[in-house]
Amino acid sequence: MTALERLFSEGFRVFFLAAGLYAVIAMGVWEAWLAVQAAGGSLDLPAAPAPHLWHAHEMIFGYGGAALAGFFLTAVPNWTGAKGAPHRYIAAVWSIWLAGRLAVWMSGHVPLISVAAADLAFAPFLGAQILGQLIRKPKPQQMIFLALLAAFWIANLMVHLEWLGHTDTAWAGLRMGLVTLCCMIMVLGGRVTPGFTRNAMVQSGRETHLPQNPMPLAAVSIAAAMALPMTYLVSLPDHIIGAVAVVAGVAGLIRVALWKGVWTLGKPILWTLHLSYAINALGLLLLGLANLGLGTEIAALHVLGIGAVGGMTLAVMSRASLGHTGRPLVASRRVALAYALVPLAALTRFLGSALPGLHDPTVLIAGALWIAAFALYLVDLWHVWWGPRVPRAPIGSPP
């Protein structure tokens, strides 16, 4: 098997590579545009939407879509015992994802209906494969992800409908897409974070004071998080959106406090899960408060986009890449540094919104930290995605 054939042999390989590359490239373009604007210049992009809308759309649906595809194409066969997708399908769905990115980028020179068709084809093509596998052994806790993928697609549709001139739903669609990703973190992170931590504690010989994950509390956090995208879909008043987000955030913070995060401090591949989940919950709380008139919504949205989505996807992508290629689940120094840079980027961007006088430098610094984090991730795991599986059992279980 050639290296190229191997890259398309498993979904996590090409999509986690693509997510990392796009995280660097898309943020690099945004940084360049911001830097030119800050210097008093002007930089025209070939995209039809305003640069800030292109940036938001591509980080949510471009980067987020690639991370989701890599996760689903890897995790669903494990859940169901089904055979993984063939390499031709993986190459096809990756090509559709890439076509969407190119179409949105060149949307100033391409009919917008063609842009929408190219970009919106990705989630249904991916969802059909997932449905075909999940339907064999349907379980409610797994079918939730298919419903969330549908919500993710609807959110993207709302953006394109405004770009086509039919509705005024782009901002609601962007928010719905982001909080849908955050809902997936609430569901998935709430499952794997205490589970992986418990496994590691037991393997170390610890038998007491293990992570607790009370089901009533989990149900409240997940129900509120799943309701949040729907509040944007049906355009509920700000105070209702705020109340739902506050419930999800508070419940999430209580949950993560029960998972023995302090024990993981010497284990980056574990503490990054705890930290990313906590930032997700905190971001939802901040979003809720902002909708209730306390704080800045843009600041909260960037805590979620950078710290929660960026942090948790980086954690899961690196862990899964190691585990599914037979490598020990131990983060290298480079990847551990990347784990630390992402929440630092989130904090810096938060300050940029909270302190308007520092907006330009903090936004540029936050973008640079994000790029550095994903560059470290790419450098460290590049050989993993292109290389063969090693005959060595990983410590613990990959997602």
Side-chain angles (χ1 to χ4, degrees):
M1 181 183 293
T2 67
L4 185 60
E5 290 172 333
R6 189 178 297 113
L7 182 67
F8 289 98
S9 66
E10 297 172 282
F12 74 89
R13 293 177 182 268
V14 67
F15 275 108
F16 290 170
L17 169 60
L21 287 171
Y22 202 60
V24 171
I25 294 169
M27 187 61 74
V29 171
W30 177 238
E31 284 276 277
W33 186 85
L34 287 173
V36 171
Q37 291 294 116
S42 177
L43 179 63
D44 292 330
L45 301 182
H52 65 285
L53 291 175
W54 172 84
H55 163 68
H57 181 273
E58 289 307 283
M59 298 315 297
I60 295 169
F61 299 105
Y63 169 79
L68 285 181
F71 169 75
F72 282 133
L73 291 174
T74 305
V76 172
N78 282 353
W79 295 341
T80 62
K83 186 178 180 181
H87 71 277
R88 291 181 179 177
Y89 170 83
I90 293 173
V93 73
W94 175 80
S95 298
I96 293 172
W97 173 84
L98 181 61
R101 309 288 54 80
L102 294 174
V104 174
W105 173 248
M106 296 302 299
S107 54
H109 308 282
V110 177
L112 290 178
I113 188 66
S114 299
V115 174
D119 190 34
L120 293 170
F122 172 68
F125 196 74
L126 176 64
Q129 173 71 17
I130 297 169
L131 177 62
Q133 294 180 329
L134 289 179
I135 204 68
R136 299 176 185 179
K137 296 181 181 179
K139 295 181 181 180
Q141 65 270 31
Q142 295 167 358
M143 298 300 287
I144 284 175
F145 290 106
L146 195 62
L148 290 173
L149 182 62
F152 190 66
W153 181 84
I154 291 170
N156 197 12
L157 174 64
M158 292 167 66
V159 178
H160 282 285
L161 285 175
E162 178 167 332
W163 290 354
L164 287 167
H166 298 309
T167 62
D168 184 20
T169 54
W171 279 115
L174 291 170
R175 285 161 172 76
M176 181 178 173
L178 177 58
V179 298
T180 299
L181 292 176
C182 296
C183 181
M184 292 189 187
I185 292 172
M186 192 70 79
V187 178
L188 175 66
R191 182 186 307 174
V192 302
T193 304
F196 290 159
T197 304
R198 174 183 290 271
N199 291 344
M201 293 175 112
V202 170
Q203 289 171 2
S204 73
R206 182 165 174 169
E207 299 179 356
T208 60
H209 301 291
L210 300 174
Q212 302 175 49
N213 197 18
M215 288 308 298
L217 187 58
V220 170
S221 66
I222 292 171
M226 291 193 68
L228 193 54
M230 299 303 103
T231 65
Y232 289 103
L233 177 63
V234 299
S235 301
L236 291 180
D238 288 350
H239 68 276
I240 296 179
I241 296 174
V244 173
V246 166
V247 171
V250 170
L253 287 172
I254 296 173
R255 288 183 76 191
V256 74
L258 300 174
W259 293 343
K260 310 299 179 184
V262 174
W263 184 87
T264 70
L265 290 181
K267 302 171 179 61
I269 207 159
L270 286 175
W271 65 245
T272 186
L273 293 170
H274 288 258
L275 181 58
S276 299
Y277 187 94
I279 293 174
N280 186 62
L282 176 62
L284 291 173
L285 175 58
L286 292 172
L287 179 63
L289 293 175
N291 276 275
L292 295 173
L294 301 171
T296 306
E297 186 193 30
I298 291 298
L301 291 171
H302 281 91
V303 169
L304 291 172
I306 300 172
V309 175
M312 186 59 81
T313 51
L314 186 64
V316 171
M317 292 190 301
S318 55
R319 183 185 181 100
S321 296
L322 294 172
H324 284 282
T325 56
R327 291 165 171 82
L329 295 177
V330 178
S332 69
R333 290 183 178 180
R334 279 192 295 248
V335 172
L337 178 57
Y339 294 158
L341 290 177
V342 170
L344 183 58
L347 175 60
T348 305
R349 184 60 183 84
F350 177 84
L351 293 175
S353 295
L355 304 172
L358 297 176
H359 180 269
D360 288 350
T362 52
V363 170
L364 289 171
I365 292 170
L369 291 170
W370 170 279
I371 291 171
F374 281 92
L376 289 168
Y377 160 80
L378 288 168
V379 168
D380 198 80
L381 295 172
W382 187 271
H383 71 286
V384 173
W385 300 311
W386 292 90
R389 178 183 176 90
V390 298
R392 181 178 180 181
I395 301 171
S397 302

